[in-house]
Amino acid sequence: MPETTLPHKELLAGVPLFSGIDTVELINTLDDCKVITFKSGEYLCREGEYDEACNIILDGTASVELPQKGANRGKKIPLAKGEIFGEIAALSGNPRTADIVATQPSTLMNISKNTLFRLLDRFPAIKQKLDDLYRHRALSSHLHTIPIFSGIPDEILEELKEKVTLHTYRKGDVIFEEGDMADAFYLTRYGFVKVHQRKGGKEKVLAYLKDGHYFGEMGLLKNGEKRMATVSALNRVEVIRISKEDFGKLIESHPDLRANLENVVKQREERNILLSKDAHLANTLSSTIEAGVMQSKAVLIIDTSKCIQCDNCIKACASLHGGQTRLARKGIRLSSFLMVPASCRHCDDPTCMTKCPTGAISRDFTGEIYHKDSCIGCGSCAMNCPHGNITIIDAGGPNGRQSLFARLLGNNSNHKRQYAKEKNAGGNGPEIRKPKRPKRKAVKCDMCRDYAIMGCVHNCPRGAARRVNPSVFFADISSIG
Amino acid sequence: MEKLHRADASSLRGIWPLLFATILTGLVFIYYYFRDGDASGSVSGIVYGILGFVTIVFLALYKVRKIYFGFIMGSLHGWLQAHIYISVITIILVYMHTGFRFNGAFTTILLLLFFVVFASGIVGSLMHTIIPLSLAKYGKEILSTNEILDAYKKCLDDSERLVETTSEEFRETYKKSIRPLIADFSTKWQYLFTEENRVIKAAEKKFEMLKEGIPSNENYNLQILGSMYQDRERFAFKLAKLRILNGWLTFHVPVTTAMLTMLGLHLLSIFYF
C-alpha cells in the first residue's frame, strides 16, 4: 500500500463530511495526513485490531464485513467514495469493530487521531456531523452484533436504535445504585463495570462486566423490583440504555429473549450464592477487580508457590533491554498464590497515552503499548500510569550514563563536576561549556517486541512467570456474559 | 477456579515421576551390580560411554542456557525439566558404560562424584519444589535475602527508638531479654523443619513470659515490640529457606565442575592410551 502526503483539493471537495468548509483552511489542518492506495481485495482494516486513525475513501469503493455474530452476522455493507470509516476507533480508542475490504482499487486519506481532534476543534460543523455518524454507527454495530439480540429481526433493531440512548461514564461513576428503582436495561458497548453490594458496611463485589455484556435485567424481569446491586464504571465506559418500556415491549414480542434473560438471571443468582459461600473466590474476585487487572490485555503473573526468587526474570529483562529492567518482582497479591508484579499490563483504556506531547507512546494493532524513539522523557506517561509501571531513565548522551568505552578513554567524564567547581570558585578557571541536560526517555514493558520471546517468562526456570490475558485466565471468576 | 485454589497440588505434581525414575535407576543398578555387564572397553561399553558423554554435555549446557537470555530454542523451564529427566537417563548410561565394575581409584572417584552430583540434583529439585510452596503459603511478600537483612536492621532501629522513651525498668528488661532476640542476625536453620505459624506462636510465647517483669502501664510498648519480633521471626523463617535454596547451588555447581574436570581427564587418558 504505497503512501503519499497531502490530498488533492479536488479530491477533498468530493467528501460530504467536508462540504461547506473552506478547502484551503481544511488542507492546512490536514497537512500531515497520508494518502494510501489499496488494490482490490486488500483489507483496509481488521476487526479487533487497534488503530486510532480514521480514513476517508477519496477514490474507489470498499465493503464493511460485519463479524460472524449477532443478528447481522457476516453481512456486507458497501462504502462509497467520500465516506469515512474508522471514526469509532479514533474517537473512542476501541479496537476496530469490523473488517473492511477494498472492492475496487482505492485511495484513502488516513487521518491520525491528533489531526482528527485538531480538525474537530477547528470546525464545529464537522464535529456535529461526525458525532451523529458515531452515534448512528456505534448503536447500529452494537445492536446488530450482540449475541443476545441475534434472534431479533433487523427492522425491530432499527426501530429500537432510534429509541435507545448512548451514555459515557468515567472511572468511578455510578451507573445505578442498589435500592434504586429499576428503570432501564443496559448493554456495555465499551469498558468495564463492577457489580457490587454493600453488606454490613463492607463492599462485596459480585461480578465484573465488559463490552458485549449487559446488566440491569434482574430488576426489570422481577417486575417493579428495586436494583439489587450497584453498578459503577471501572474505566471509561460506554453503555446503551434501553428504557424499561422499550425493554418490556421487546421481551413481550420475543419470548426467546425473555427465556434467555431469565436463564441468565438464574445463573447470576446461583453465582451470587457461590460467592457468598466461597470466601477465597470472593476475595480473589475483589482483589482482581480492585487492582484493575481485568482492564488489561496482557498481565504478567507470578505463581509464588513456584517462584524460587532467583531473579532470573529481572536479569533477563535487564539483559534484553540494555541493562535497564522493566519489571519489579513486587506487586499486588490476587490470591494466596498469585501475584501481579510491577510490569506494564497493556491496559484496554491506557491513560498513559492520553497526554503524550509527541505521540511517542503508541499502541500497535494487537493492543500492545510501546514507546517510539520520539520519546523526549517528559514523564507525562509515567505520571498518568495508574499502576506506576513506567520509569523515566537517563538515556545516555552528552552528560548521561557513559559507555565503558567512553569511560576508558576518559571522555568528558568530569565535565559537569568541573563546571560546578569553576562556577563556585568565581569563574576564573578554564572556560567550560555549560553541560546539556541529560537525554531522558520513558521505559516500560514492551513485551520484548524486538525479540521472538518474552524475556521474563521465557527465562523463568520454574515456569512461575506467565503473561496472560486476564479475561481468559480469570474466566472462572468473571461474569456470565 | 482450580488454579486459584490448588496451586500447591500442581507444584508438587512434578516430584512423583522424578522419584519413580530415581527408584528405577537404583533397581537397575542393583540388578546389574550382581550380574556383570559389558566392560567399558567393549563395543557396547564404548557406545554407552559416548551416549553418556553426549547427555552430560547437554546437562552442562543448562548453565549456558541459563545466562543466555535471548536464546529462542526452548524456555528455561523446559531446559530445567530436560536437565532433571535426562540426568536420570545419564546415570543409567554411565553405569552401563562402567559395566558395574569400578576399576582403579580415578574412575571410582569419578563415578562417586557423578553420583554425588546426581543425588544433589535430586535433593535440589525437591527443595526447589517444596520450599517456595512453604514460603508462599504464609508470606504476603516476595523478599530477597538482602531485603530481609534490611528489614532486620530496621526492626532493631525501630525497637531501639521505641525504648528510648520508656522507663528505666523497661529498658533494663529490653537490654537483658528482648534486644538479644531482635539483634540476633544469625540464620536460624532450625526453622527449615517447621511451619511459619509455629514460629509465630513461639515468638508470642516468649513475649507473654516477659509480661510479668514489666510495669502494667508499659504493656503496650511490650506488645509493639512483640509484634516487631513476630515480623522479624517471620523474616527469619524465610531467610533460612532462601539461604538453603541459594546455598544448594554453591554445592551442586562446584561438585559438577570437579566432576566435569575429571571427566575431561578421563577422556584425555582414553585418547592418550
Side-chain angles (χ1 to χ4, degrees):
Chain A
M1 45 184 125
E3 289 179 8
T4 55
T5 48
L6 275 180
H8 284 286
K9 198 175 169 182
E10 297 75 37
L11 287 173
L12 284 180
V15 178
L17 185 69
F18 300 147
S19 63
I21 306 289
D22 177 43
T23 321
V24 178
E25 211 181 328
L26 192 64
I27 287 184
N28 285 340
T29 314
L30 299 172
D31 59 353
D32 59 350
C33 286
K34 286 178 279 187
V35 174
I36 312 171
T37 54
F38 286 88
K39 288 177 197 156
S40 177
E42 254 188 290
Y43 277 92
L44 311 183
C45 69
R46 290 280 201 169
E47 187 209 345
E49 282 183 1
Y50 284 89
D51 181 4
E52 291 180 338
C54 73
N55 299 281
I56 293 173
I57 304 175
L58 296 176
D59 197 20
T61 57
S63 169
V64 181
E65 294 178 355
L66 291 178
Q68 295 292 336
K69 58 185 178 187
N72 278 354
R73 63 174 74 90
K75 191 176 170 184
K76 290 181 181 176
I77 302 167
L79 283 176
K81 180 180 168 183
E83 283 201 74
I84 185 169
F85 68 87
E87 79 292 343
I88 294 181
L91 292 174
S92 66
N94 301 353
R96 298 286 190 209
T97 51
D99 290 341
I100 299 182
V101 64
T103 46
Q104 280 178 10
S106 308
T107 309
L108 302 184
M109 179 166 67
N110 183 270
I111 308 172
S112 70
K113 188 178 180 174
N114 286 350
T115 311
L116 180 71
F117 279 99
R118 206 164 59 222
L119 186 80
L120 299 182
D121 270 352
R122 201 168 286 180
F123 304 104
I126 296 179
K127 186 175 186 316
Q128 185 57 51
K129 279 184 199 173
L130 209 61
D131 281 348
D132 291 345
L133 187 69
Y134 176 86
R135 187 188 171 280
H136 169 79
R137 284 186 175 170
L139 288 176
S140 194
S141 73
H142 197 77
L143 291 176
H144 286 283
T145 52
I146 185 167
I148 191 87
F149 288 164
S150 58
I152 299 174
D154 274 3
E155 53 278 11
I156 306 264
L157 289 177
E158 281 302 309
E159 213 176 285
L160 183 68
K161 193 178 83 185
E162 301 308 318
K163 294 174 187 167
V164 300
T165 47
L166 190 65
H167 299 263
T168 307
Y169 295 92
R170 286 186 194 163
K171 184 182 177 181
D173 285 353
V174 173
I175 300 172
F176 60 71
E177 258 186 291
E178 190 179 347
D180 285 355
M181 285 305 291
D183 60 349
F185 175 66
Y186 294 87
L187 304 169
T188 319
R189 210 189 85 73
Y190 180 73
F192 294 83
V193 296
K194 175 173 75 170
V195 184
H196 52 110
Q197 281 179 334
R198 269 207 170 268
K199 274 197 177 160
K202 277 186 180 174
E203 187 187 275
K204 185 182 153 201
V205 179
L206 297 176
Y208 98 98
L209 301 162
K210 56 176 186 166
D211 37 302
H213 289 178
Y214 43 86
F215 54 93
E217 78 293 336
M218 272 198 192
L220 291 174
L221 288 172
K222 296 185 170 183
N223 201 17
E225 271 204 23
K226 288 183 175 179
R227 295 289 187 202
M228 294 168 73
T230 302
V231 176
S232 51
L234 285 170
N235 57 354
R236 196 182 63 79
V237 171
E238 217 174 76
V239 293
I240 297 170
R241 183 181 185 277
I242 304 175
S243 71
K244 186 181 176 178
E245 294 72 35
D246 294 329
F247 179 75
K249 280 180 203 164
L250 200 66
I251 56 169
E252 245 174 59
S253 54
H254 296 88
D256 285 357
L257 176 65
R258 187 184 186 103
N260 280 345
L261 286 170
E262 277 172 348
N263 197 24
V264 168
V265 169
K266 204 176 149 198
Q267 286 179 50
R268 286 182 174 173
E269 280 174 342
E270 279 169 8
R271 188 192 153 73
N272 293 350
I273 294 167
L274 174 73
L275 279 172
S276 64
K277 285 181 185 165
D278 191 338
H280 180 84
L281 184 66
N283 288 342
T284 308
L285 177 66
S286 286
S287 52
T288 309
I289 287 168
E290 291 312 319
V293 172
M294 288 307 206
Q295 299 97 291
S296 33
K297 280 266 160 292
V299 178
L300 181 68
I301 55 162
I302 293 180
D303 181 345
T304 54
S305 68
K306 288 182 180 169
C307 176
I308 53 167
Q309 307 179 23
C310 62
D311 275 345
N312 233 41
C313 48
I314 293 167
K315 286 176 200 162
C317 183
S319 163
L320 297 176
H321 296 103
Q324 175 67 46
T325 183
R326 292 152 184 220
L327 152 76
R329 210 164 25 80
K330 292 207 175 344
I332 309 146
R333 281 278 179 137
L334 297 183
S335 70
S336 31
F337 295 101
L338 289 180
M339 192 189 84
V340 175
S343 171
C344 180
R345 303 173 186 177
H346 304 271
C347 301
D348 273 311
D349 185 16
T351 47
C352 56
M353 281 174 67
T354 51
K355 285 177 185 163
C356 178
T358 60
I361 184 160
S362 190
R363 176 150 64 172
D364 72 9
F365 68 92
T366 62
E368 186 183 315
I369 297 155
Y370 66 100
H371 280 96
K372 293 180 194 160
D373 291 339
S374 53
C375 175
I376 54 168
C378 68
S380 148
C381 53
M383 276 189 283
N384 284 311
C385 173
H387 312 297
N389 290 339
I390 302 180
T391 318
I392 305 297
I393 61 153
D394 185 350
N399 285 296
R401 194 166 46 196
Q402 289 178 329
S403 66
L404 177 66
F405 186 67
R407 273 182 283 156
L408 283 173
L409 292 176
N411 183 14
N412 205 24
S413 59
N414 288 322
H415 192 133
K416 203 172 180 176
R417 240 175 296 152
Q418 260 185 343
Y419 172 79
K421 206 172 159 187
E422 293 301 325
K423 205 176 172 187
N424 291 340
N428 286 333
E431 201 181 312
I432 296 167
R433 199 159 37 89
K434 189 178 174 180
K436 285 181 191 166
R437 184 173 167 261
K439 199 179 166 201
R440 293 160 75 80
K441 67 173 182 179
V443 290
K444 60 176 270 303
C445 168
D446 59 357
M447 298 214 278
C448 297
R449 55 185 288 116
D450 298 331
Y451 299 91
I453 47 132
M454 266 188 271
C456 52
V457 175
H458 198 68
N459 286 288
C460 175
R462 297 270 297 135
R466 284 173 71 186
R467 183 69 74 167
V468 298
N469 180 345
S471 306
V472 178
F473 188 77
F474 296 107
D476 291 336
I477 59 165
S478 67
S479 133
I480 302 149
Chain B
M1 259 170 251
E2 183 98 335
K3 60 187 164 246
L4 302 174
H5 282 289
R6 293 171 60 93
D8 48 346
S10 69
S11 308
L12 286 168
R13 218 172 286 149
I15 287 182
W16 305 117
L18 187 64
L19 279 179
F20 176 74
T22 312
I23 293 165
L24 188 73
T25 314
L27 291 176
V28 169
F29 176 75
I30 292 163
Y31 175 74
Y32 277 102
Y33 186 75
F34 294 108
R35 180 187 169 276
D36 281 353
D38 292 340
S40 53
S42 67
V43 176
S44 56
I46 290 170
V47 170
Y48 288 136
I50 292 168
L51 288 174
F53 175 72
V54 170
T55 54
I56 288 172
V57 169
F58 178 78
L59 295 178
L61 280 176
Y62 173 72
K63 179 69 188 167
V64 182
R65 165 64 187 90
K66 202 176 169 188
I67 52 171
Y68 184 41
F69 299 111
F71 192 75
I72 55 166
M73 282 168 66
S75 66
L76 192 61
H77 178 51
W79 271 77
L80 182 60
Q81 294 302 302
H83 182 81
I84 294 168
Y85 293 112
I86 290 175
S87 70
V88 178
I89 298 169
T90 310
I91 199 156
I92 297 172
L93 288 172
V94 169
Y95 283 126
M96 300 289 260
H97 168 65
T98 62
F100 300 87
R101 281 186 292 262
F102 313 123
N103 297 328
F106 185 84
T107 46
T108 307
I109 293 170
L110 176 58
L111 202 65
L112 276 175
L113 269 180
F114 188 80
F115 183 75
V116 171
V117 172
F118 176 73
S120 82
I122 299 287
V123 171
S125 176
L126 290 172
M127 272 181 6
H128 280 75
T129 307
I130 294 163
I131 292 179
L133 192 62
S134 75
L135 284 175
K137 214 168 179 179
Y138 304 103
K140 293 259 182 293
E141 60 286 277
I142 296 183
L143 291 171
S144 66
T145 311
N146 286 341
E147 283 167 331
I148 291 176
L149 292 175
D150 286 346
Y152 270 20
K153 278 180 204 148
K154 192 178 174 297
C155 183
L156 182 62
D157 291 347
D158 288 350
S159 62
E160 298 275 319
R161 222 173 301 131
L162 181 80
V163 292
E164 273 172 17
T165 54
T166 56
S167 67
E168 189 64 38
E169 204 180 343
F170 189 91
R171 276 206 293 272
E172 198 55 41
T173 315
Y174 171 77
K175 213 170 158 187
K176 219 163 68 185
S177 316
I178 304 172
R179 198 182 185 281
L181 294 175
I182 295 177
D184 179 11
F185 281 26
S186 63
T187 309
K188 298 184 174 175
W189 296 112
Q190 68 271 27
Y191 288 176
L192 283 176
F193 310 102
T194 185
E195 297 259 326
E196 190 176 327
N197 49 2
R198 285 192 184 175
V199 171
I200 303 302
K201 271 185 190 156
E204 260 175 25
K205 222 175 183 180
K206 273 183 194 167
F207 271 72
E208 203 58 42
M209 280 152 68
L210 288 170
K211 239 180 188 175
E212 286 158 19
I214 298 285
S216 58
N217 62 337
E218 289 193 305
N219 266 351
Y220 182 65
N221 287 333
L222 187 71
Q223 227 175 322
I224 296 173
L225 284 176
S227 69
M228 276 183 186
Y229 181 60
Q230 280 175 31
D231 280 346
R232 214 207 80 98
E233 287 299 273
R234 197 175 287 127
F235 289 144
F237 171 83
K238 279 178 188 282
L239 188 67
K241 300 202 170 192
L242 282 180
R243 286 222 155 123
I244 195 84
L245 275 186
N246 299 335
W248 170 80
L249 271 182
T250 59
F251 177 79
H252 186 70
V253 175
V255 177
T256 309
T257 313
M259 189 271 289
L260 288 174
T261 313
M262 285 192 76
L263 182 67
L265 291 172
H266 177 62
L267 281 174
L268 281 177
S269 65
I270 290 165
F271 290 118
Y272 183 76
F273 295 112

